[in-house]
Amino acid sequence: MKVLIVGGVAGGATAAARLRRLDEEAEIIVFERSGYVSYANCGLPYYIGGSIQDPDALTLQTPGSFLTRFRITMKVHHEVTAIHPERHTVSVKNLENGETFEESYDKLLLSPGARPTQPRLPGVGLEKVFTLRTVEDTFRIKSYIQEARPRSVVLAGGGFISLELAENLRALGLEVTIVQRPRQLMNPFDPDLAAFLHGEVRRNGVQLALGHTVEGFEEKDGGVDVLLAGEAPLHADMVVLAIGVTPDTGLAKEAGLTLGLKDSIVVNERMETSAPDIYAVGDAVQVKHAVTGQDAHIPLAGPANKQGRVAADNICGGDSRYLGSQGSSILKIFSLTAAATGINETAAKKAGLDVDKVILSPMSHAGYYPGGKVMTMKVVFEKGSYRLLGAQIVGYDGVDKRIDVLATAIHAGMKATELKDLDLAYAPPFSSAKDPVNMAGFMIDNLARKVVGQFGIDEIDRLPRDGSVTLLDARTPMEYSHGHVEGFRNIPVDVLREHLDEIQPGKPVYVMCQSGIRSYIAARILEGHGFTCYNFTGGFRYYDAVTHERRLIESAFDCGMDR
């Protein structure tokens, strides 16, 4: 059997190695148009910033090591220019000498990945406007920084690459501005959780221009002007386009393969395309979202590697299935860690789901053990069925552990109420006896059992201030004096029973505290005395962070720029 693979990164490299482990006799040839195979795309920003200093550390394997260990021929600087499904061949161009030839196959695997989205804007091809996809792109940016000594950079886009670059370029001393059309960074997060990301990048000196559309680039005064719709240009010494990725599927389109979202390649669960004996994996393919069941394009390294394994199994006569992508992801943003899995509240509502959520602020480990830090968790579930849909966590220590537990729970089809039953490891340096994931389950179970009602941040301003409801803040007077929501009266939870006669019976009571725990206790006290209560999910800490960021964005947008 002769297998050709187009693309030697992530899915392609994984598939090649798996093929060899399953079939010692197969002839396996990989064509990669860049000069590197099996490299760590996710590590590229950290090489630019200097966290990774050895460029060889970026490549997990080399053409030589693949040949030695796996007897796989890796042909770098070779570009496949056409696929001929009817005769089971591909056309190839050697980029080093210009030679062209045809190569036959029994099975063909496409793993071309995705390319940085480059809108058709004036000035996209300027020398000082960069993209970051390959090792060569990384070296180009690193060399420019070392030689030209730029002092400022504009990053167009607010996703993973942009934020990782922002951190690493700030470490090099550059002034960094992120321009993003949506009014938030990182679309996997809802706007309320994204507020915590905004706060972290601002604290580290990154300027945000959110809600602004880039219309082009012009060389000016030795640098680049970034042209914005309806706004004065931003000037910088260099620009990096990081506005997302586009499936690199020109070959597949010309070969007549069926395409889907964003022109991604349509495959089935076996990673088979619409053409016989042609498989596709990685950032170029359309998948099913594991939570919604809808078609999706989710360009992440984890799914690409899994898909490569599935395709290799099936090429060798197996029957492996790819069950869909859940979108689990994690990101380091300066001192902060942000992670998400499944779908967020915004996406769930767009998908037509009737959803609810809980928001909590647990410690990363037992409060009495030194060094614990607060994280903010948002767990999204379907009303009625309590199907677990997604989660987002922003914090410091222990974020990765909790998001992986929640990702596993979603994959296993657990109900959100069942999170309370998980038996998770505990010792004071690592967790609490009630792990944050358990705490989320307890909160959702309370909602399911109608032990307590809740209200959210978007309801606060709509609550009447005419005396028809009681608005109660259960924190200490000191906390209250440092900031509170207008209209909320302060009665600390520990003296609430002594002040019950001050709360008018028959009126619903809306309670908040710093994190949601004391207000829950206050609500239970009041319920026990005949009141109907609603607890604010998230607490004042969450409310203050989100509303502060909303004001900043609105103010900056109204004034023209966040400077």
Side-chain angles (χ1 to χ4, degrees), residues 313-331:
D313 286 354
N314 294 322
I315 287 172
C316 291
D319 189 23
S320 290
R321 307 281 170 151
Y322 184 69
L323 301 180
S325 297
Q326 198 168 297
S328 299
S329 58
I330 191 164
L331 178 69

Side-chain angles (χ1 to χ4, degrees), residues 537-557:
T537 187
F540 183 79
R541 170 186 169 273
Y542 158 84
Y543 170 86
D544 190 42
V546 175
T547 55
H548 175 72
E549 183 58 32
R550 285 178 178 175
R551 288 192 296 269
L552 279 178
I553 293 173
E554 291 298 330
S555 174
F557 193 80

Side-chain angles (χ1 to χ4, degrees), residues 84-315:
H84 312 290
E86 69 285 353
R87 61 178 186 266
H88 276 51
T89 65
V90 299
S91 297
V92 186
K93 181 178 182 179
N94 184 329
L95 299 178
E96 293 180 351
N97 58 23
E99 175 192 352
T100 60
F101 58 93
E102 278 200 13
E103 192 80 49
S104 65
Y105 64 82
D106 296 310
K107 304 288 184 181
L108 175 65
L109 175 65
L110 303 179
S111 182
R115 62 184 184 277
T117 301
Q118 290 187 279
R120 295 179 179 177
L121 297 176
V124 162
L126 291 176
E127 182 182 358
K128 295 174 183 177
V129 177
F130 299 86
T131 59
L132 180 58
R133 178 198 184 196
T134 66
V135 174
E136 288 92 342
D137 293 336
T138 308
F139 292 159
R140 194 175 300 116
I141 294 173
K142 180 113 175 164
S143 295
Y144 178 78
I145 292 173
Q146 291 174 335
E147 294 168 7
R149 301 292 180 185
R151 292 177 297 174
S152 59
V153 58
V154 168
L155 305 177
F160 289 96
I161 291 294
S162 183
L163 288 181
E164 289 168 350
L165 272 174
E167 176 180 351
N168 282 279
L169 294 174
R170 282 296 295 152
L172 296 176
L174 275 73
E175 297 176 3
V176 178
T177 300
I178 297 176
V179 182
Q180 167 90 329
R181 180 183 296 174
R183 293 196 183 188
Q184 71 162 85
L185 302 174
M186 293 295 295
N187 286 334
F189 294 83
D190 285 313
D192 53 352
L193 270 286
F196 292 89
L197 312 187
H198 299 172
E200 180 70 6
V201 298
R202 292 181 201 275
R203 281 190 293 273
N204 284 276
V206 177
Q207 298 178 359
L208 297 180
L210 302 175
H212 297 277
T213 302
V214 176
E215 290 195 324
F217 310 93
E218 288 182 356
E219 285 186 310
K220 188 173 183 182
D221 299 331
V224 182
D225 267 3
V226 180
L227 309 179
L228 304 177
E231 299 291 341
L234 285 171
H235 185 77
D237 296 325
M238 63 182 292
V239 172
V240 180
L241 290 177
I243 56 178
V245 294
T246 302
D248 196 352
T249 55
L251 277 175
K253 187 174 185 177
E254 291 173 8
L257 302 187
T258 301
L259 303 182
L261 295 174
K262 299 182 180 179
D263 276 350
S264 56
I265 303 170
V266 173
V267 293
N268 60 19
E269 290 179 327
R270 290 167 50 85
M271 308 313 298
E272 295 169 325
T273 70
S274 58
D277 299 320
I278 300 180
Y279 298 73
V281 301
D283 294 354
V285 305
Q286 174 179 290
V287 298
K288 293 292 184 184
H289 197 289
V291 175
T292 66
Q294 297 176 347
D295 293 333
H297 178 240
I298 303 178
L300 293 170
N305 280 274
K306 295 181 185 72
Q307 292 159 15
R309 179 185 175 91
V310 168
D313 286 354
N314 294 322
I315 287 172

Side-chain angles (χ1 to χ4, degrees), residues 225-457:
D225 267 3
V226 180
L227 309 179
L228 304 177
E231 299 291 341
L234 285 171
H235 185 77
D237 296 325
M238 63 182 292
V239 172
V240 180
L241 290 177
I243 56 178
V245 294
T246 302
D248 196 352
T249 55
L251 277 175
K253 187 174 185 177
E254 291 173 8
L257 302 187
T258 301
L259 303 182
L261 295 174
K262 299 182 180 179
D263 276 350
S264 56
I265 303 170
V266 173
V267 293
N268 60 19
E269 290 179 327
R270 290 167 50 85
M271 308 313 298
E272 295 169 325
T273 70
S274 58
D277 299 320
I278 300 180
Y279 298 73
V281 301
D283 294 354
V285 305
Q286 174 179 290
V287 298
K288 293 292 184 184
H289 197 289
V291 175
T292 66
Q294 297 176 347
D295 293 333
H297 178 240
I298 303 178
L300 293 170
N305 280 274
K306 295 181 185 72
Q307 292 159 15
R309 179 185 175 91
V310 168
D313 286 354
N314 294 322
I315 287 172
C316 291
D319 189 23
S320 290
R321 307 281 170 151
Y322 184 69
L323 301 180
S325 297
Q326 198 168 297
S328 299
S329 58
I330 191 164
L331 178 69
K332 176 183 180 296
I333 309 173
F334 296 99
S335 298
L336 202 65
T337 302
T341 187
I343 56 174
N344 60 28
E345 182 183 11
T346 306
K349 289 179 177 177
K350 285 183 179 178
L353 297 172
D354 189 15
V355 300
D356 204 347
K357 78 278 185 178
V358 293
I359 298 164
L360 58 158
S361 301
M363 294 288 285
S364 57
H365 62 241
Y368 59 82
Y369 187 88
K373 295 184 178 180
V374 174
M375 64 179 73
T376 303
M377 295 177 58
K378 182 174 186 177
V379 179
V380 181
F381 57 92
E382 189 173 33
K383 288 183 180 178
S385 71
Y386 291 93
R387 179 166 69 105
L388 193 56
L389 300 175
Q392 304 150 64
I393 311 177
V394 177
Y396 301 91
D397 297 334
V399 170
D400 53 344
K401 169 183 176 179
R402 275 68 189 214
I403 204 68
D404 283 343
V405 171
L406 289 161
T408 303
I410 292 172
H411 180 80
M414 291 179 60
K415 291 184 177 182
T417 50
E418 293 176 323
L419 296 175
K420 72 183 189 305
D421 301 319
L422 291 174
D423 192 353
L424 303 175
Y426 159 64
F430 304 106
S431 183
S432 300
K434 300 175 188 175
D435 188 85
V437 175
N438 295 135
M439 289 300 300
F442 295 145
M443 292 171 66
I444 297 168
D445 186 64
N446 280 338
L447 293 176
R449 295 174 182 270
K450 304 189 183 308
V451 172
V452 68
Q454 71 173 10
F455 65 107
I457 193 167

